[in-house]
Amino acid sequence: MEAKMRKWWHDKVAYQIYPKSFYDTNGDGIGDLRGIIAKLDYLKELGIDLIWISPIYKSPFVDQGYDISDYYGIAPEFGTMEEFEELLAEAKKRGIQIVMDLVINHCSDKHEWFQKALADPEGEYADYFYFREGKDGNPPGNYRSYFGGSCWEPVPGTSKYYFHAFAKEQPDLNWENPRMKQDLYDMINWWLDKGLAGFRIDAIINIKKDVNFPDLEPDGPDGLAGYHRAVEQTNGVGELLEELKNNTFAKYDAFTVGEVFNMHEDELSEFIGENGHFSTIFDFSAHCLSEGEHGWYEAPAIEFKEWRRAIVDSQLEVQKVGFKANIIENHDEPRGVSRFLPEYARNAAGTKMLGTVSLLLRGIPFLYQGQEIGMQNCEWNNSGEWDDISTRDQYQTARKAGLTEKEALRVCADMSRDNARTPMQWSSEENAGFTSGTPWMKVNPNYSEINVKAQQENEDSVLRYYQKLIALRKSEEYKEVFTYGTFAPVYEEQESVMAFYRISEEENQETPKKRVLVAANFGREAAELPLEYKVSKVLLSNLPENQAGEKLILAGCGVMVLECEI
Ligand code: GLC
Ligand code: CA
């Protein structure tokens, strides 16, 4: 890759913090900004360069902060603006940069704009949203929101309705309105002026609407059609995204990572090419494998070979164009260990193996809090234990589709977003050392075994392994190959092996050509593989039984990272 195409963020390792569940310092049971400051050294030691913090703006928390009522204010649950500035400064001292969440497809119904719109449905602020007349006393259209029910909610005291792609407390902002857009650009620049490195950009594909909201063929017994179907058919989001970028991020050389589902296939280079709308977007190709046609109750289990195919295909496609951000899990997904590993592999060895594959793919690795200690899905005993708005909706959907209480509980337990939102497990003390008070959300009972403190004391732990893995990825010697090296799959005929080379190009004498093999055996039994190239160095191995000699022998759940002769 030519030097001119290099960007400052290409070789970074990022970490997502879900602030409510990270670390509580004042005993109210809710994680806070002081808690993040307190753990910066921990993150530094792990090798993190960039932190993405899920929303910390003022919010009624109907969708856990993804419903913002004041874009310029820090939620008092988390702290103050002074504490946020302190966090920026303390992070900077440690060479860590901060990325905030940018939720601009919608705001909260408690936001001043929406309150003004309700107060005067013919006025200026009504045009910050999509207000439409109903059709003969019915909603103006038949789209189903992502969290269930119609996308249209009545505007009290009128015959109008407003549009919401997510919850009714999250009205969509009207991106056809230049004033609204300018207000958002000003806000974004105000934050960038504070010294943020950039943003993770929420649900952004939804901002472009066909403003006639044409009805679609119903796809469920409720007579509605999923809004994502309308998104898939809508063109022109690119113009809005370019305008957004040019008015904000581009002026600051900011890093942006888009949450983009339902992108048109041929648009990848417009999104993440050298002058793309974003620096990068998340790679959800493995996660989409468990999308159920009508809901989680139809979510298929993920087979190893499909998972491998999805990742390999994505890597091969993306490397022609740019970089994606690789994740195992995030705050919307179940824990990766519980989802992508077969049951026999949900242990330390398997967890290290999955982490190795994810972090050494080509792209920007994003770890999610707790991933580095191998946190797993929680046990859920009844539907009342869930906080998440989407899990509660999916539970009802499953029940309406005829599943028994027990079956619906099982389905949602596997898929719930709350699996990722249980408090971070710091120690074996009460409440996993997360809070001295009552945690806002159930603590995973396995914290006595899986926690940071125990793993810090054990050289062989998942945490210590992640530290080594990140250090390897970022080391002077191997940074080039792991950042820019080509991805080339190998051993694809093997039933249970996920393996690939990373190969760096010859550039100059300081960065000689390298070939590294990453090979993981997701099977229960050992796998024996012929080696195509002589191994010159073992860079990492998760089990003493793994061997790289004449042949490569990987124990069940074994992974090795090997430098090979060229
Ligand atoms: C994104 C967020 C998710 C939120 C939704 C609505 O998908 O990641 O947590 O519920 O957008 O803002
Ligand atoms: Ca707190």
Side-chain angles (χ1 to χ4, degrees):
M1 204 179 245
E2 291 171 51
K4 71 170 167 44
M5 292 168 72
R6 297 190 168 207
K7 304 268 166 76
W8 66 264
W9 45 267
H10 278 161
D11 58 2
K12 302 296 181 231
V13 175
Y15 185 95
Q16 181 190 354
I17 289 183
Y18 194 70
K20 232 177 166 178
S21 299
F22 191 59
Y23 186 53
D24 174 27
T25 56
N26 65 351
D28 66 355
I30 297 175
D32 41 50
L33 294 176
R34 287 242 156 268
I36 302 178
I37 296 172
K39 298 297 183 185
L40 284 172
D41 285 331
Y42 166 79
L43 296 173
K44 177 80 194 156
E45 200 188 346
L46 182 56
I48 300 305
D49 308 299
L50 264 186
I51 299 175
W52 153 30
I53 312 178
S54 277
I56 50 175
Y57 312 87
K58 285 195 177 133
S59 166
F61 291 95
V62 169
D63 184 23
Q64 291 308 343
Y66 286 90
D67 46 325
I68 296 171
S69 55
D70 177 3
Y71 287 102
Y72 290 89
I74 298 289
E77 289 85 345
F78 296 135
T80 63
M81 190 59 79
E82 290 66 45
E83 284 169 330
F84 178 73
E85 278 159 6
E86 192 182 324
L87 168 61
L88 274 180
E90 287 298 320
K92 194 170 174 192
K93 275 188 208 160
R94 292 163 176 84
I96 296 177
Q97 289 178 286
I98 304 281
V99 167
M100 299 248 290
D101 219 305
L102 189 61
V103 190
I104 49 176
N105 172 67
H106 47 267
C107 60
S108 160
D109 62 342
K110 298 293 179 299
H111 192 285
E112 188 189 346
W113 297 338
F114 194 70
Q115 290 297 317
K116 287 185 174 162
L118 288 184
D120 181 6
E122 302 299 328
E124 181 191 348
Y125 282 95
D127 200 35
Y128 272 47
F129 301 91
Y130 297 103
F131 278 33
R132 292 287 186 278
E133 282 298 330
K135 278 190 210 151
D136 315 318
N138 291 314
N142 79 339
Y143 302 159
R144 182 189 312 105
S145 78
Y146 291 112
F147 294 156
S150 169
C151 280
W152 295 98
E153 189 67 17
V155 176
T158 72
S159 50
K160 291 179 194 280
Y161 291 73
Y162 69 87
F163 183 88
H164 60 91
F166 293 89
K168 67 178 185 336
E169 296 86 352
Q170 293 167 298
D172 280 43
L173 290 163
N174 177 7
W175 278 77
E176 307 294 323
N177 179 343
R179 278 205 55 182
M180 192 293 294
K181 288 194 287 189
Q182 190 57 49
D183 282 352
L184 289 182
Y185 303 156
D186 292 346
M187 176 275 290
I188 293 167
N189 292 334
W190 183 84
W191 280 104
L192 288 169
D193 283 333
K194 280 194 183 289
L196 287 187
F199 290 99
R200 175 268 185 184
I201 306 173
D202 186 74
I204 195 67
I205 198 85
N206 298 286
I207 63 174
K208 181 68 192 176
K209 316 278 199 263
D210 177 338
V211 293
N212 296 314
F213 300 97
D215 276 358
L216 291 174
E217 189 68 35
D219 58 17
D222 54 5
L224 303 175
Y227 175 55
H228 65 276
R229 292 176 205 272
V231 174
E232 277 157 17
Q233 294 179 16
T234 307
N235 294 313
V237 71
E239 281 165 41
L240 292 179
L241 297 177
E242 276 306 285
E243 194 192 309
L244 166 64
K245 177 183 89 179
N246 292 327
N247 279 286
T248 58
F249 320 130
K251 299 189 200 169
Y252 296 79
D253 193 19
F255 169 74
T256 53
V257 49
E259 185 204 28
V260 179
F261 289 96
N262 314 108
M263 185 186 66
H264 300 165
E265 255 178 45
D266 54 355
E267 285 178 347
L268 190 63
S269 82
E270 286 162 45
F271 274 77
I272 59 166
E274 194 177 1
N275 293 308
H277 310 317
F278 302 116
S279 310
T280 182
I281 60 178
F282 289 109
D283 191 344
F284 293 119
S285 42
H287 306 79
C288 290
L289 293 173
S290 58
E291 235 161 47
E293 172 85 26
H294 299 103
W296 292 352
Y297 72 92
E298 285 179 343
I302 296 177
E303 296 290 330
F304 169 75
K305 282 194 191 162
E306 275 179 293
W307 172 83
R308 178 175 65 179
R309 182 81 271 142
I311 292 185
V312 166
D313 286 352
S314 170
Q315 287 275 301
L316 292 174
E317 190 200 356
V318 174
Q319 68 183 350
K320 293 186 244 156
V321 176
F323 289 78
K324 275 201 184 181
N326 298 318
I327 61 161
I328 292 179
E329 62 215 25
N330 68 22
H331 68 293
D332 292 331
E333 305 288 340
R335 291 287 180 177
V337 170
S338 309
R339 183 184 200 179
F340 299 119
L341 290 175
E343 229 169 300
Y344 59 81
R346 295 176 196 159
N347 49 33
T351 304
K352 292 173 186 172
M353 171 178 71
L354 184 64
T356 310
V357 170
S358 175
L359 266 75
L360 299 184
L361 291 172
R362 190 177 171 286
I364 319 300
F366 269 71
L367 282 78
Y368 178 73
Q369 68 185 41
Q371 176 186 325
E372 75 278 22
I373 55 168
M375 279 179 67
Q376 302 187 357
N377 281 356
C378 193
E379 260 174 44
W380 304 103
N381 303 318
N382 62 71
S383 57
E385 289 185 326
W386 289 314
D387 165 88
D388 171 33
I389 185 168
S390 149
T391 309
R392 285 187 269 130
D393 167 59
Q394 289 289 340
Y395 180 78
Q396 291 311 326
T397 307
R399 292 287 281 133
K400 280 184 203 139
L403 275 74
T404 65
E405 231 174 90
K406 208 170 147 196
E407 287 164 345
L409 190 73
R410 182 71 258 138
V411 161
C412 293
D414 285 344
M415 293 300 289
S416 177
R417 308 199 295 180
D418 282 340
N419 283 308
R421 300 177 182 187
T422 60
M424 176 73 184
Q425 294 163 205
W426 293 107
S427 72
S428 60
E429 284 164 43
E430 205 182 348
N431 298 320
F434 160 71
T435 178
S436 59
T438 307
W440 75 280
M441 153 72 94
K442 179 175 175 173
V443 177
N444 190 323
N446 71 9
Y447 74 89
S448 47
E449 290 129 62
I450 299 180
N451 66 69
V452 170
K453 181 135 187 297
Q455 296 199 15
Q456 280 172 332
E457 288 160 5
N458 172 3
E459 275 314 305
D460 222 20
S461 66
V462 172
L463 177 63
R464 291 290 181 214
Y465 184 89
Y466 260 98
Q467 284 173 347
K468 284 180 216 145
L469 179 59
I470 295 172
L472 170 65
R473 192 187 157 106
K474 291 175 44 170
S475 64
E476 274 314 309
E477 197 173 353
Y478 297 98
K479 188 158 128 177
E480 177 70 21
V481 68
F482 287 127
T483 306
Y484 295 105
T486 308
F487 168 93
V490 60
Y491 304 122
E492 286 180 284
E493 70 295 345
Q494 296 282 330
E495 285 294 304
S496 63
V497 173
M498 165 65 163
F500 52 89
Y501 293 111
R502 298 295 310 277
I503 309 157
S504 59
E505 317 284 326
E506 196 115 41
E507 261 202 80
N508 52 46
Q509 278 168 349
E510 286 117 81
T511 55
K513 203 167 159 186
K514 274 202 194 318
R515 181 194 311 270
V516 174
L517 171 64
V518 179
N521 172 18
F522 281 66
R524 195 195 289 263
E525 310 302 331
E528 227 183 81
L529 307 168
L531 278 165
E532 294 182 315
Y533 303 92
K534 205 164 179 289
V535 170
S536 48
K537 197 167 175 193
V538 176
L539 302 178
L540 213 54
S541 169
N542 70 336
L543 286 169
E545 296 83 8
N546 295 331
Q547 282 175 44
E550 285 298 294
K551 284 189 227 141
L552 176 60
I553 302 174
L554 295 171
C557 300
V559 64
M560 290 189 98
V561 183
L562 303 166
E563 181 165 4
C564 298
E565 283 179 2
I566 242 9

